Amino acid sequence: MRFAVVTVAGKEYLTPEPLLKDLVDPTVISPPISIRQIPSLPETPINSQFAFSKELQSFLAGRELLLDELPYPLHVLHDHYQNGYIQYEYGIQFRAGYPHCSRCANQEAEYFFAFVCARCRQMCTYCRKCIMLGRLSQCTPLIRWAGPLPPVKIVEPILAWDGQLSAEQSVASDQLVQAIEKKTPFLIWAVCGAGKTEMLFQGIAQALARGRRVLLAAPRTDVITELTPRFIAAFPTTAIVSLYGGSDDRGKNGQLFLSTTHQLLRYRDYFDVIIVDEVDAFPYSIDQSLHCAVQKAQKEDGVTVFLTATPSKELKKLHHQKVPKRYHGYPLPVPEFQWCGNWKKKLAKRRLPQPLQLWLTKRLTSKKQMFLFVPTIEVGQQLVPIVRDLGISSESVHAEDEKRHEKVAKFRRGELQLLVTTTILERGVTVPNIDVAVLGAEEAIFTESALVQIAGRVGRHKDYPSGDIIFFHYGKTMAMVEAKRHIESMNEEGGFS
Ligand SMILES: [Zn+2]
Ligand SMILES: [Zn+2]
């Protein structure tokens, strides 16, 4: 889409090319050109008399979208722009010669690409980093709502959850209420299995009661789809929006949002409270643009709260509350180390290292379910046939595995005894009675935080609060030692010694 700058009754407006022919008596300042060639985008003041579309308000408020993402006729959008209810913004801007993406805040040169653009008929730079949300290039503006925000509907009682918090959960829950009230950035450092979702309910309920908009962001779709029904049950009168790739809620507005960190990129200055779950998990931990996305989506006077079992050094500097005990009151299972020699060589010969074989066959008789974490997809694929020869029903999964959800569901139903997995399942998946092992724990992918999360899969259910966690290795690493120390010190703080 190209735009012309037009003067009507002494005021300057940006006008989409297809609407130019309908103008009555305009003064066209520039012929239609790419938005990138317009040195500054005229903003229009709000006309409070204008009868704006409530539907468009609900669709666009808080978001920044491409024209293609807006299912409204151009003239409707233009009316709203002329009356100050919509504003345009450059998608990609050059600052001191370097491109900058307004949507994902990307500034890394290797994530920009220039192509001969059919729209603006010249070389045009676009951002590859946020391409999954639709191509944003120099000639594509972002459109945002500039009118009043849609009202929120508060129906008391807001919180329907009536469960009991443990003493440790209560302390964290109270602190969270305070932090949200005072708008102090806050960290809940809770062990795996502490019951963190329940700790959030009071703080969220209070913010909702005050008419605030709350967002819970998590890095993975699995986590959002698992949390959504729990939040709907806990907050039955609140308008809840659940956002992930392929979600039906895109375009909906509400007061409580659950979103993957990627979908968050479409929001700006909207949320009073943002809670970032599993803050250290891939891809949030390695992707600076997602940190920017959280900052961007938060209102200037809003507050962000972080939630994790394995905070970074940076996060530990925040005001925080530890929850060292699991909700069921039992200690965290402490990992055991087991040297297993050159396991890669063994696998290449279609054999298992002896200690691993023993560990597996022991469970063949007890029928207990197992997770086995491996460093690569290939190791998983090598292992499965060998393990099946032992008579153990098994599948391997990894992040790009198309049958991942199917296989995990089969495992949950108890139709598989062993699930061999890459670190993709280090969080989120909870199976009640399980033993867990890592093969090749010395590999670099198994960081302290990954190992703590993996150990955290064991003993989460109150009926099965213990279980084995064993690191099979070919040489102990610092990460292994630190993961064990981390777990032991949490147990000490939890009153176990
Ligand atoms: Zn971008
Ligand atoms: Zn272009």
Side-chain angles (χ1 to χ4, degrees):
M1 182 91 52
R2 299 195 300 173
F3 294 84
V5 179
V6 165
T7 307
V8 182
K11 281 189 209 147
E12 279 190 11
Y13 298 103
L14 220 50
T15 305
E17 188 175 10
L19 298 182
L20 284 174
K21 58 179 180 350
D22 305 331
L23 288 180
V24 187
D25 196 24
T27 312
V28 178
I29 298 179
S30 74
I33 45 176
S34 164
I35 199 156
R36 63 197 272 193
Q37 291 164 309
I38 301 172
S40 73
L41 304 181
E43 288 202 9
T44 46
I46 285 263
N47 167 15
S48 54
Q49 308 299 315
F50 178 67
F52 64 86
S53 155
K54 295 256 162 58
E55 201 194 307
L56 177 58
Q57 176 197 40
S58 170
F59 191 88
L60 190 56
R63 310 213 285 165
E64 280 184 317
L65 300 176
L66 306 171
L67 265 174
D68 297 347
E69 292 180 289
L70 284 159
Y72 294 90
L74 209 47
H75 69 87
V76 171
L77 299 176
H78 190 58
D79 269 358
H80 282 78
Y81 163 71
Q82 279 189 311
N83 287 285
Y85 287 72
I86 274 180
Q87 298 298 345
Y88 289 96
E89 194 189 341
Y90 298 105
I92 308 290
Q93 271 183 297
F94 276 76
R95 294 181 189 164
Y98 294 97
H100 178 272
C101 174
S102 304
R103 186 167 58 190
C104 74
N106 172 32
Q107 309 191 51
E108 292 167 75
E110 74 258 36
Y111 285 106
F112 290 98
F113 191 77
F115 68 118
V116 184
C117 176
R119 280 185 183 159
C120 63
R121 296 160 214 176
Q122 53 193 307
M123 284 304 279
C124 191
T125 298
Y126 72 92
C127 176
R128 283 196 295 154
K129 200 145 198 184
C130 57
I131 187 81
M132 65 287 179
L133 302 177
R135 186 162 68 199
L136 184 62
S137 72
Q138 279 179 284
C139 65
T140 21
L142 282 171
I143 292 150
R144 63 185 169 81
W145 182 255
L149 297 183
V152 292
K153 209 169 105 197
I154 300 162
V155 183
E156 303 270 9
I158 290 172
L159 184 60
W161 184 77
D162 59 356
Q164 280 289 316
L165 294 176
S166 69
E168 289 77 14
Q169 284 176 310
S170 283
V171 173
S173 169
D174 292 349
Q175 294 263 341
L176 176 67
V177 169
Q178 295 280 327
I180 291 177
E181 259 326 276
K182 293 184 185 148
K183 300 182 178 175
T184 322
F186 185 57
L187 161 71
I188 298 182
W189 178 355
V191 293
C192 302
K196 15 174 222 183
T197 309
E198 292 78 11
M199 285 184 246
L200 303 176
F201 287 163
Q202 280 302 341
I204 292 176
Q206 180 141 324
L208 294 173
R210 302 231 192 297
R212 297 183 182 149
R213 279 194 177 78
V214 180
L215 169 89
L216 178 79
R220 293 195 182 137
T221 298
D222 319 29
V223 180
I224 298 300
T225 51
E226 200 215 293
L227 287 177
T228 301
R230 293 170 68 186
F231 275 82
I232 291 174
F235 299 99
T237 63
T238 302
I240 296 182
V241 181
S242 177
L243 299 168
Y244 48 90
S247 140
D248 296 334
D249 282 3
R250 284 190 290 180
K252 270 197 201 160
N253 214 321
Q255 197 186 359
L256 174 57
F257 289 66
L258 307 171
S259 172
T260 59
T261 26
H262 272 123
Q263 296 300 324
L264 199 55
L265 289 171
R266 289 202 175 94
Y267 288 81
R268 182 184 287 278
D269 294 332
Y270 199 49
F271 298 102
D272 302 284
V273 180
I274 298 186
I275 300 164
V276 187
D277 190 14
E278 301 288 6
V279 56
D280 55 312
F282 173 85
Y284 191 81
S285 60
I286 55 162
D287 196 339
Q288 194 57 34
S289 72
L290 292 175
H291 286 258
C292 294
V294 170
Q295 267 171 22
K296 188 183 84 163
Q298 189 198 294
K299 272 190 190 164
E300 217 170 298
D301 64 347
V303 62
T304 301
V305 173
F306 301 91
L307 197 60
T308 180
T310 45
S312 63
K313 277 202 187 91
E314 239 5 79
L315 272 183
K316 285 179 195 166
K317 290 180 195 157
L318 284 184
H319 176 47
H320 65 259
Q321 178 62 47
K322 276 191 197 168
V323 186
K325 223 179 189 173
R326 289 184 150 181
Y327 78 97
H328 56 41
Y330 292 89
L332 297 160
V334 178
E336 219 179 286
F337 298 166
Q338 173 69 58
W339 190 84
C340 71
N342 192 344
W343 54 271
K344 286 183 186 165
K345 221 166 144 185
K346 287 258 171 152
L347 287 186
K349 291 186 194 157
R350 239 183 158 260
R351 280 168 52 205
L352 292 174
Q354 197 62 24
L356 175 61
Q357 176 147 357
L358 264 174
W359 188 81
L360 290 167
T361 45
K362 228 170 122 185
R363 280 152 190 84
L364 186 59
T365 35
S366 72
K367 302 248 184 307
K368 198 165 174 186
Q369 281 190 298
M370 304 165 266
F371 269 141
L372 177 60
F373 286 86
V374 292
T376 63
I377 301 172
E378 293 70 35
V379 172
Q381 287 163 347
Q382 272 179 312
L383 260 165
V384 168
I386 314 177
V387 172
R388 283 185 186 156
D389 284 350
L390 295 174
I392 297 174
S393 54
S394 171
E395 292 278 5
S396 69
V397 289
H398 55 86
E400 280 84 47
D401 189 340
E402 281 171 15
K403 293 191 175 155
R404 179 177 143 203
H405 296 288
E406 203 179 301
K407 289 175 183 174
V408 171
K410 219 168 141 188
F411 186 66
R412 279 185 201 273
R413 289 197 301 267
E415 289 162 24
L416 288 174
Q417 194 184 359
L418 171 71
L419 197 61
V420 180
T421 172
T422 56
T423 55
I424 185 71
L425 292 185
E426 76 188 33
R427 305 153 200 268
V429 175
T430 300
V431 177
N433 187 16
I434 197 161
D435 285 331
V436 175
V438 178
L439 177 62
E442 75 281 3
E443 298 277 314
I445 190 158
F446 294 117
T447 57
E448 176 197 336
S449 116
L451 291 170
V452 169
Q453 293 284 352
I454 288 171
R457 297 299 100 210
V458 180
R460 293 169 78 109
H461 197 277
K462 64 178 184 339
D463 297 337
Y464 308 97
S466 64
D468 267 13
I469 166 70
I470 183 155
F471 296 166
F472 292 105
H473 66 93
Y474 185 33
K476 236 187 277 179
T477 60
M478 272 313 282
M480 289 164 61
V481 173
E482 274 164 8
K484 187 172 177 182
R485 203 180 286 155
H486 183 143
I487 291 167
E488 285 171 338
S489 78
M490 278 304 206
N491 277 342
E492 271 168 44
E493 285 191 48
F496 308 101
S497 52

